[in-house]
Amino acid sequence: MDISDMIEGNGEWLAGSGPRSDIVISSRVRLARNVAGYPFMSKANRAQRNDLHQKCRDKLLELSGEWNLSYVDIDKADEVDRQILVERHLISKQHACGEGSRGAALSPDEGLSVMINEEDHLRLQVLRSGVQLKECWRVADALDTSLQQRLDFSYSPKFGYLTACPTNVGTGMRVSVMMHLPALKITGDIEKIFRAAKDMHLAIRGLFGEGTEAVGDFYQISNQTTLGRSEDEILSEFNDEIIPRLVTAELNARTILEQERPLTLDDRIGRAIGILQNARLLSTEETLFFLSHLRLGVAMKRVAGLDIHTVNLLFLKTQPAHLQRMLGKAVEGDMRKAARAEFIRQNLKPKK
Amino acid sequence: MKCDRCNKAATIHLTEKNKNGDIAALHLCENCAVEAGYMQKTHISVTDMLTNLIEGQSKAAQSDVQACPECGLSWREFKDTGLLGCPGDYDHFSQQLRGVIESAQNGATHHTGKAPAQNESSAANSIRLRESRIAKLRQQLAKAVEKESYEEAARLRDEIATLEKPAR
C-alpha cells in the first residue's frame, strides 16, 4: 500500500466524528497475543523471527478479503513512511525504530492495525473516533477469534494469554481513551485527576504512548491491570465511570472558566491564534501547545469560522514526518520549523 | 532499539544539533533522558514500576534461581528488561513471578475473561499445559515438605487440588 496516499486525510483517531469527540479524541482497544511453540521476541533467533513474521503475515493475508487489510513490511519501509504510521497512531514508536523482521497489517480506513513482531508476536489494535470502546472491543474480539482458528496462541488456564511482559498477561487487553483536557490544565485541577486515576489503577501517558509526555493537553488514559478482570468488566468501568467522570470534570472546568475567568480564557485563545497566524518558526511542542488552546476556543465556540475537524488536521499535518512528506523532501531544524509555521499560516489566514 | 547509554529499551528519540552544526540522533531510555537533562520525570512508566517491583521481590534471596532451560533467560535478565523469554518462564519462574504479578496486577492471581475456543487442538494444548503445571507443582510440594515449609506446602497442595478439578 502507498503510505503517501494516507496523509491527506485525518485517519480514524483524529476524524472528530465520533460521540463526544470534542473531548474524547479517540477510543482504542489493543490485544497482545503470542503464537504457541515459539519463544517471546527477546529470545527468538533470526530464523524464528522470520518464521513468525511469515506465519502471522500469511494468516492475516488469508483474512484480508473479509477484513480488508493491507500489509506493510516495516523493516523494508522508508523511515519517513514508518514515522507517518507512528504519527497516525497505527504502529508504535518502538515498532518503527525496532530492528529485524517485522510488519504491520492495516485497514485503509485506519481503524484497524496489527503489528507483527513488536514486544509480542501480535498486537491487534482497533481505533475509533470519540467514545466507542464497545465497538473497538467487538471488532478486536472478532478478529482475534478469526485468527485463533488459524493460529494457536500461548495460553494458560491460570494466567490467560501469556505475554512477554507480565503487565499484559491475562486478557492481554489495553483499553485507552485519548482525551483533550485543556480547561482542567488551566484551572490546575488536572493534578487531582491524576491522583484519582492512580487510585483507580489507571496509567496516564502522552500523545504517543509509553514514555512520552503529555503535550498539548492530550492525555491517554488506560487500564494498568490485565489480570483478574474480564474484558467486559474493564470496558464497563471505562464506559460507566472513568470516561463520564473525566468528561464531566473537563466540562465543569470549561464552565468555570467561561463564567468566572472569561478574560483568562479568551487571552489564552487569542494569544494562541496570534502566534499561530504570525510566527515564522514553530517547533512541534509549541505548535501542539497553541493548537490545544485554539482547539479549546473552537470547541467552546469562542472562535468563529473554524471547525474541530480542521484543527485536528493541523495537529496531524504539522508532525515531522507528515510535514516532510508534504514538502517532498527531508528538512531539519529551522527549515522544518519554518515550513511548519508557513503551513499553519496558510491554513489559519485571518478573516478580512 | 537500545538506549545509547545503557542497555534498556530506548523510548525517547531526539535529534540534536552539536557545536559544529551537525545533526545527531539520540535514542535514550526514560531514565537516561532524565539524567542527561533532556526531560523531567513526570510519571512512572510501566517498565520502571515493574523494575521496582522486581527489585523488591528479589530481595528475598531469589537471585540464585537457575536460568530457564527452554529459552535461557536468567532472573537477572528479566530484572533488567522486564521481559520474559518464553511462555515456559511463567512456569519456570513461578515462585519469583508470583509476587511480581500480584503487585503489578493489583493482587490478581488468576485470569478471568476470554479463553481460546475449545477446539480439539487447543483443548489438547490446555490439558497438556495443565498436566505439566501439576507435575511441576508436585515437585515443588515434595521439596517444600522436605524443607518442612508447611505453609508453602499447604498452598501448593491447594493449588494442585484446584487444577485437578475437572474443567467446567
Side-chain angles (χ1 to χ4, degrees):
Chain A
M1 79 189 282
D2 189 352
I3 292 165
S4 295
D5 290 346
M6 292 173 100
I7 69 166
E8 282 313 309
N10 264 3
E12 181 64 30
W13 81 276
L14 275 170
S17 56
R20 202 74 261 184
S21 58
D22 52 338
I23 293 175
V24 181
I25 312 274
S26 60
S27 305
R28 185 185 77 139
V29 165
R30 184 222 73 193
L31 298 176
R33 297 289 187 256
N34 288 279
V35 180
Y38 288 86
F40 296 140
M41 293 319 302
S42 65
K43 290 289 178 189
N45 59 33
R46 187 195 286 236
Q48 287 167 321
R49 205 185 158 106
N50 289 340
D51 208 22
L52 275 165
H53 185 180
Q54 197 176 353
K55 200 171 193 149
C56 293
R57 183 191 56 205
D58 291 351
K59 299 298 169 189
L60 279 162
L61 289 177
E62 275 177 37
L63 296 170
S64 63
E66 188 186 339
W67 287 89
N68 198 4
L69 293 169
S70 306
Y71 179 77
V72 183
D73 188 327
I74 299 294
D75 197 35
K76 297 199 176 101
D78 171 84
E79 196 179 325
V80 175
D81 280 349
R82 279 186 263 164
Q83 281 307 320
I84 286 175
L85 295 178
V86 174
E87 290 171 5
R88 302 184 81 81
H89 286 204
L90 294 170
I91 66 171
S92 63
K93 216 171 222 177
Q94 189 186 340
H95 203 47
C97 303
E99 277 159 15
S101 177
R102 64 201 191 283
L106 315 166
S107 67
D109 64 2
E110 301 178 43
L112 178 69
S113 70
V114 183
M115 288 185 277
I116 304 172
N117 288 358
E118 204 235 25
E119 184 179 295
D120 293 296
H121 301 160
L122 286 166
R123 289 271 175 106
L124 287 63
Q125 169 188 282
V126 181
L127 261 175
R128 288 288 181 273
S129 173
V131 183
Q132 294 199 59
L133 279 176
K134 285 263 153 89
E135 171 65 9
C136 291
W137 164 243
R138 190 189 65 75
V139 175
D141 182 30
L143 176 60
D144 176 48
T145 304
S146 297
L147 277 172
Q148 292 201 20
Q149 287 160 3
R150 292 167 168 80
L151 288 167
D152 254 345
F153 291 147
S154 285
Y155 178 86
S156 102
K158 179 172 179 188
F159 287 125
Y161 291 97
L162 301 177
T163 51
C165 183
T167 52
N168 293 315
V169 79
T171 57
M173 182 174 80
R174 194 77 63 203
V175 164
S176 43
V177 278
M178 181 67 76
M179 303 189 78
H180 186 224
L181 307 173
L184 282 168
K185 182 72 178 294
I186 297 173
T187 61
D189 287 332
I190 198 82
E191 293 298 324
K192 266 189 253 169
I193 300 283
F194 282 179
R195 283 197 294 273
K198 287 233 165 73
D199 291 342
M200 293 183 78
H201 300 281
L202 297 171
I204 300 187
R205 303 191 178 94
L207 207 46
F208 295 101
E210 187 166 348
T212 65
E213 270 197 82
V215 280
D217 310 316
F218 284 109
Y219 300 92
Q220 182 180 301
I221 294 134
S222 45
N223 61 312
Q224 209 149 48
T225 63
T226 50
L227 187 70
R229 289 188 301 161
S230 69
E231 291 83 356
D232 270 342
E233 286 173 295
I234 298 172
L235 290 162
S236 297
E237 192 189 25
F238 268 80
N239 277 328
D240 303 339
E241 291 178 47
I242 298 163
I243 299 175
R245 267 200 230 175
L246 287 169
V247 167
T248 308
E250 172 66 16
L251 287 173
N252 286 344
R254 289 183 186 187
T255 309
I256 288 171
L257 286 176
E258 210 160 33
Q259 290 176 353
E260 295 171 14
R261 299 168 64 191
L263 273 176
T264 306
L265 179 63
D266 287 333
D267 182 63
R268 298 284 174 104
I269 300 166
R271 279 167 187 270
I273 295 173
I275 288 171
L276 291 169
Q277 281 180 345
N278 293 290
R280 292 299 192 268
L281 296 170
L282 280 170
S283 72
T284 315
E285 289 73 26
E286 259 184 308
T287 306
L288 286 171
F289 181 80
F290 293 121
L291 280 177
S292 168
H293 288 165
L294 174 64
R295 195 177 187 279
L296 176 67
V298 172
M300 292 182 75
K301 303 202 166 35
R302 294 178 96 85
V303 178
L306 260 180
D307 56 29
I308 288 273
H309 180 89
T310 310
V311 183
N312 282 358
L313 199 61
L314 287 177
F315 272 107
L316 193 58
K317 289 198 161 186
T318 54
Q319 295 289 323
H322 276 75
L323 208 56
Q324 296 187 68
R325 186 44 49 85
M326 262 187 299
L327 291 167
K329 60 180 177 194
V331 281
E332 295 276 354
D334 276 359
M335 292 291 285
R336 193 190 285 176
K337 288 183 182 174
R340 182 179 290 118
E342 164 79 23
F343 179 75
I344 290 175
R345 283 204 314 282
Q346 292 289 331
N347 284 277
L348 289 181
K349 281 193 181 134
K351 297 275 167 311
K352 295 261 160 61
Chain B
M1 181 176 282
K2 295 265 169 77
C3 171
D4 293 344
R5 297 173 141 222
C6 65
N7 251 348
K8 286 187 192 160
T11 52
I12 317 284
H13 308 278
L14 301 156
T15 10
E16 199 179 50
K17 208 181 224 176
N18 65 19
K19 283 170 203 143
N20 310 324
D22 298 331
I23 309 276
L26 275 175
H27 309 283
L28 300 170
C29 72
E30 196 175 324
N31 279 338
C32 292
V34 172
E35 256 173 45
Y38 288 106
M39 60 178 285
Q40 291 188 329
K41 195 146 185 92
T42 48
H43 64 274
I44 300 175
S45 74
V46 174
T47 325
D48 280 354
M49 187 188 75
L50 191 70
T51 316
N52 290 341
L53 285 174
I54 303 164
E55 289 290 342
Q57 291 302 322
S58 45
K59 290 220 173 78
Q62 291 168 335
S63 40
D64 56 343
V65 65
Q66 301 265 308
C68 169
E70 259 176 83
C71 70
L73 180 89
S74 68
W75 184 247
R76 169 151 294 281
E77 264 179 283
F78 172 65
K79 270 171 64 176
D80 290 342
T81 62
L83 294 174
L84 294 168
C86 73
D89 290 340
Y90 280 94
D91 254 349
H92 179 75
F93 295 113
S94 64
Q95 294 278 341
Q96 291 76 15
L97 279 172
R98 189 149 50 99
V100 173
I101 291 176
E102 276 181 37
S103 321
Q105 299 286 356
N106 192 25
T109 54
H110 282 78
H111 173 58
T112 44
K114 185 172 180 175
Q118 290 297 311
N119 60 38
E120 220 175 69
S121 71
S122 71
N125 195 25
S126 100
I127 289 167
R128 215 168 40 241
L129 263 169
R130 194 171 70 216
E131 280 171 353
S132 77
R133 174 94 189 115
I134 291 173
K136 204 141 210 168
L137 286 169
R138 285 229 168 85
Q139 283 176 9
Q140 288 173 5
L141 177 61
K143 266 188 210 152
V145 172
E146 207 173 294
K147 284 192 290 186
E148 300 185 13
S149 332
Y150 294 116
E151 214 173 299
E152 175 74 6
R155 189 189 62 76
L156 291 164
R157 183 203 57 208
D158 292 346
E159 198 168 331
I160 293 169
T162 318
L163 283 172
E164 280 182 332
K165 259 187 237 159
R168 272 177 294 171

